[in-house]
């Protein structure tokens, strides 16, 4: 059984989010049981997203998550209707004043999207 590539749109307004199933982090990507747990919780993860399709709201936590690492969480909202789609995760040490502001704080490591916030795109 062959898997076709799927593009996703906002589940609320059908705005194309340029999310592709080929960019998903799956068990084949070396994640395994972590992937299965996130799907059970209603989330799927992507390696990359088109940030121009989202409104971003930063949620910075200036307390170390583990061993001096600071983690930012950016809420991703649909650019058209504003519904919450998911989160982008990265390091936020510069935003907390611990590193130089010239470090790349917008380099996300992972994007987590709510399954219920998506629908397959109607592309031919």
């Amino acid at each position: 059984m062959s898997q076709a590539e799927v593009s996703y749109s906002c589940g609320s307004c059908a705005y194309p989010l340029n999310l592709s199933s080929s960019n998903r982090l799956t068990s084949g990507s070396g994640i395994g049981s972590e992937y299965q747990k996130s799907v059970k919780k209603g989330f799927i993860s992507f390696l990359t997203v088109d940030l121009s399709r989202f409104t971003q709201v930063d949620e910075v936590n200036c307390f170390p998550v583990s061993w001096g690492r600071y983690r930012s969480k950016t809420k991703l909202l649909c650019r058209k209707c504003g519904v919450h789609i998911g989160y982008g995760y990265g390091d936020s040490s510069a935003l907390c004043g611990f590193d130089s502001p010239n470090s790349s704080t917008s380099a996300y490591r992972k994007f987590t999207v709510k399954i219920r916030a998506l629908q397959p795109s109607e592309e031919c």
Side-chain angles (χ1 to χ4, degrees):
M1 185 169 155
S2 172
Q3 284 187 316
E5 185 168 323
V6 178
S7 293
Y8 298 100
S9 299
C10 174
S12 181
C13 70
Y15 180 68
L17 299 172
N18 291 349
L19 290 173
S20 172
S21 60
S22 63
N23 289 334
R24 283 179 50 187
L25 286 171
T26 61
S27 56
S29 304
I31 292 182
S33 65
E34 184 180 327
Y35 171 76
Q36 294 170 348
K37 288 177 187 176
S38 69
V39 169
K40 284 182 182 179
K41 291 180 181 179
F43 290 92
I44 54 178
S45 297
F46 290 85
L47 290 169
T48 60
V49 300
D50 181 355
L51 291 175
S52 69
R53 297 297 187 161
F54 299 93
T55 301
Q56 302 171 49
V57 179
D58 290 329
E59 296 180 6
V60 179
N61 182 1
C62 288
F63 296 102
V65 175
S66 66
W67 297 106
R69 304 265 322 166
Y70 297 85
R71 190 167 189 188
S72 68
K73 182 164 91 170
T74 300
K75 193 181 274 190
L76 302 174
L77 309 175
C78 173
R79 172 124 3 236
K80 184 175 179 186
C81 70
V83 72
H84 179 217
I85 302 291
Y87 293 98
Y89 295 95
D91 292 329
S92 67
S93 54
L95 294 175
C96 295
F98 297 112
D99 282 342
S100 69
N102 295 334
S103 64
S104 61
T105 58
S106 62
Y108 298 108
R109 296 172 184 242
K110 181 171 87 169
F111 298 91
T112 305
V113 175
K114 295 192 288 186
I115 295 171
R116 289 181 158 209
L118 299 177
Q119 67 180 3
S121 294
E122 303 270 336
E123 293 182 8
C124 297

